[in-house]
Amino acid sequence: MAKYVLAIDQGTTSSRAIVFDKAGSIISTGQLEHEQILPQAGWVEHDPKEIWDNTREAIGQALSKANITRHDIEAIGITNQRETAVVWDKNTGVPVYNAIVWQDTRTQPIVDRLAADGGVERFKGKVGLPLATYFSGTKIVWILENVEGARAKADAGDLLFGTTDSWVLWNLTGGIEGGVHATDVTNASRTMFMDLETLQWDDEILAIFDVPKSMLPEIKSSSEVYGIASGHSLLREVPIAGILGDQQAATFGQAAFDQGEAKNTYGTGNFLIFNTGTEIIHSKNGLLTTVGYKLGDAPVHYALEGSIAVTGSLVQWMRDQLGIIKNASEIEDLAKTVKDNGGAYFVPAFSGLFAPYWRSDARGALVGLTRYVNKGHIARAALEAIAYQTREVLDAVNADSGVPLTELKVDGGATANDLLMQFQADIIGVPVVRPVVAETTALGAAYAAGLAVGFWSGLDDLRANWQEDSRWEPSMDKDEADRLLRNWKKAVTKTLDWVDEDVR
Ligand SMILES: Nc1ncnc2c1ncn2[C@@H]1O[C@H](COP(=O)(O)OP(=O)(O)OP(=O)(O)O)[C@@H](O)[C@H]1O
Ligand SMILES: [Mg+2]
């Protein structure tokens, strides 16, 4: 048995390759950011070719930094930004359009059209999701309707669709020379097309969306051998044995395997996932029902999810669009120049509001401004927004489950921000806990792959790897936390009903 497992983390902002050992420790990392293509308001695209090039280069970096070769890698796991839709020609391997990213809101007219008969919840019972621009389904429809020649090619069986797990898997296993076209149940559960009970594509919904089934990848479990890396790859002959959507991967990497366990990831967006075991639970409080994981032939685990579109990307926005910080970590020092938010609240409804509101008519707002407010307050308001949004999603999870979480396991890039983590604990009133390996997304994918090939013998091996690194205890007076939260909720109301015929 080789000593390591390699995870590919194809994220929204970057592609990473991380080598893990049996203890779940990071041996080396390769990482490259890709361009965020913003052609017009509300549109967000990635170049799939750049993503595949970066993925290969990241693998090369990770191997060379650790001074190892493919012979040291037992298996490959893939995790990915979910919902982002790639459509490519299976004969040439060339995408017919850029990847349409999960944050992209261009498909609102398609959502409205589909919701005209039966409302946005018309498929929720079957797929666990409301109709929304977020999920891949309407993005595929947009490509078929708007890219010249796409519909005819799709009908002829020449086009393939995939989220970026499938795009990477297909290319890694040879592309036009026999590439494997598959996905796992967690990614499939984010399309709007998979029946949560049968774990199969639903013909009725596909007919309503008018998407040919021939485009879709085969749905597999999250942990099995899907294929072998092709001869052209640095990792040739290594099996690809795990796929999990990034948020489910982070849950798995946090060892939240059982019913009642949860985690919250602070990345581009925030995603709180609550494991509901083998039971499908439909939320009464604005959460999604989704697949947690499925290991080979073992029963599937479901989850409730609170998705928040804009959290870390608000920090990036302050860096790239406003230029008031040079890198993400500077926001903490800027926020520390003031003692509170100075009355300012920043609701980053850049893609509308996701959980628990699901309001596509909302747009971002910075409210409560007076002449007193300076850039320190705005930095603080941005960080606080991350915490308030998390509080609202946590309230929804607690209400749905009936058993409030007694602590919150966290991970992701923004958990490096101490001020944010302390404020988070203050606003939710329970401790916030971060494990030693904060790269839980990649770790979860490595775990899924390693389990499939016997690198790890079972879930207990993985539980034993989890170790606490940091813990933040709530210290704010409860009345003050409640007052801040009331103001936040008031601020949210100011962002609603913004989009109408006059707004494009
Ligand atoms: N010190 C910090 N304070 C606040 N936010 C931070 C800090 N460091 C990083 N971030 C934010 O965290 C995000 C990066 O976190 P992470 O690397 O987990 O992202 P990611 O979500 O995995 O990326 P991707 O979406 O590509 O998967 C960025 O949006 C960045 O703005
Ligand atoms: Mg990520």
Side-chain angles (χ1 to χ4, degrees), residues 252-270:
F252 209 71
Q254 285 268 20
F257 305 128
D258 293 333
Q259 194 277 331
E261 296 187 302
K263 68 84 208 185
N264 191 33
T265 300
Y266 297 71
T268 303
N270 266 32

Side-chain angles (χ1 to χ4, degrees), residues 53-344:
D53 287 346
N54 286 359
T55 300
R56 279 178 303 166
E57 196 171 333
I59 292 169
Q61 286 180 3
L63 293 179
S64 73
K65 279 188 199 166
N67 203 17
I68 56 174
T69 70
R70 65 194 172 93
H71 299 290
D72 300 298
I73 305 293
E74 191 64 27
I76 304 163
I78 301 175
T79 179
N80 58 296
Q81 53 171 325
R82 306 170 302 170
E83 303 98 9
T84 295
V86 188
V87 174
W88 69 97
D89 186 320
K90 72 174 185 192
N91 306 306
T92 62
V94 177
V96 299
Y97 192 78
N98 275 338
I100 302 184
V101 178
W102 57 274
Q103 303 145 325
D104 191 296
T105 58
R106 81 183 69 186
T107 61
Q108 191 61 42
I110 299 171
V111 167
D112 294 342
R113 196 171 79 205
L114 289 163
D117 175 13
V120 290
E121 306 228 321
R122 71 184 280 202
F123 306 114
K124 198 159 190 261
K126 210 182 245 176
V127 304
L129 315 171
L131 273 165
T133 59
Y134 177 22
F135 309 108
S136 356
T138 59
K139 302 182 197 292
I140 305 172
V141 173
W142 190 93
I143 289 175
L144 292 178
E145 291 181 354
N146 292 279
V147 176
E148 210 186 314
R151 166 62 66 186
K153 274 190 179 173
D155 287 342
D158 289 331
L159 296 190
L160 301 179
F161 152 78
T163 35
T164 61
D165 56 318
S166 302
W167 172 243
V168 167
L169 176 70
W170 188 80
N171 281 292
L172 191 57
T173 52
I176 55 173
E177 296 165 26
V180 174
H181 190 218
T183 190
D184 90 306
V185 284
T186 66
N187 277 292
S189 77
R190 317 295 294 186
T191 54
M192 300 281 322
F193 298 156
M194 191 186 79
D195 182 326
L196 286 172
E197 299 265 0
T198 63
L199 306 178
Q200 295 300 319
W201 301 123
D202 186 80
D203 290 321
E204 201 184 325
I205 298 177
L206 287 175
I208 294 167
F209 276 69
D210 200 12
V211 168
K213 202 175 184 173
S214 58
M215 292 178 73
L216 303 183
E218 191 180 341
I219 303 175
K220 307 254 192 172
S221 80
S222 317
S223 176
E224 64 179 271
V225 175
Y226 312 96
I228 308 289
S230 83
H232 300 301
S233 162
L234 274 179
L235 293 170
R236 63 185 168 276
E237 291 167 24
V238 181
I240 299 119
I243 302 179
L244 285 161
D246 56 7
Q247 300 310 320
Q248 284 87 346
T251 314
F252 209 71
Q254 285 268 20
F257 305 128
D258 293 333
Q259 194 277 331
E261 296 187 302
K263 68 84 208 185
N264 191 33
T265 300
Y266 297 71
T268 303
N270 266 32
F271 300 86
L272 203 163
I273 289 197
F274 178 83
N275 186 330
T276 62
T278 52
E279 221 185 318
I280 297 176
I281 309 257
H282 288 285
S283 174
K284 295 189 178 63
N285 297 285
L287 304 174
L288 307 175
T289 304
T290 201
V291 174
Y293 66 88
K294 184 177 191 315
L295 304 178
D297 296 332
V300 60
H301 273 63
Y302 296 99
L304 284 169
E305 172 176 317
S307 331
I308 305 167
V310 180
T311 57
S313 57
L314 177 57
V315 177
Q316 287 175 324
W317 182 84
M318 309 225 347
R319 181 193 67 186
D320 301 337
Q321 249 75 348
L322 291 192
I324 63 172
I325 47 173
K326 281 203 264 328
N327 57 59
S329 59
E330 278 180 21
I331 196 165
E332 185 167 0
D333 286 338
L334 186 54
K336 276 186 185 152
T337 60
V338 292
K339 64 179 192 326
D340 57 27
N341 64 20

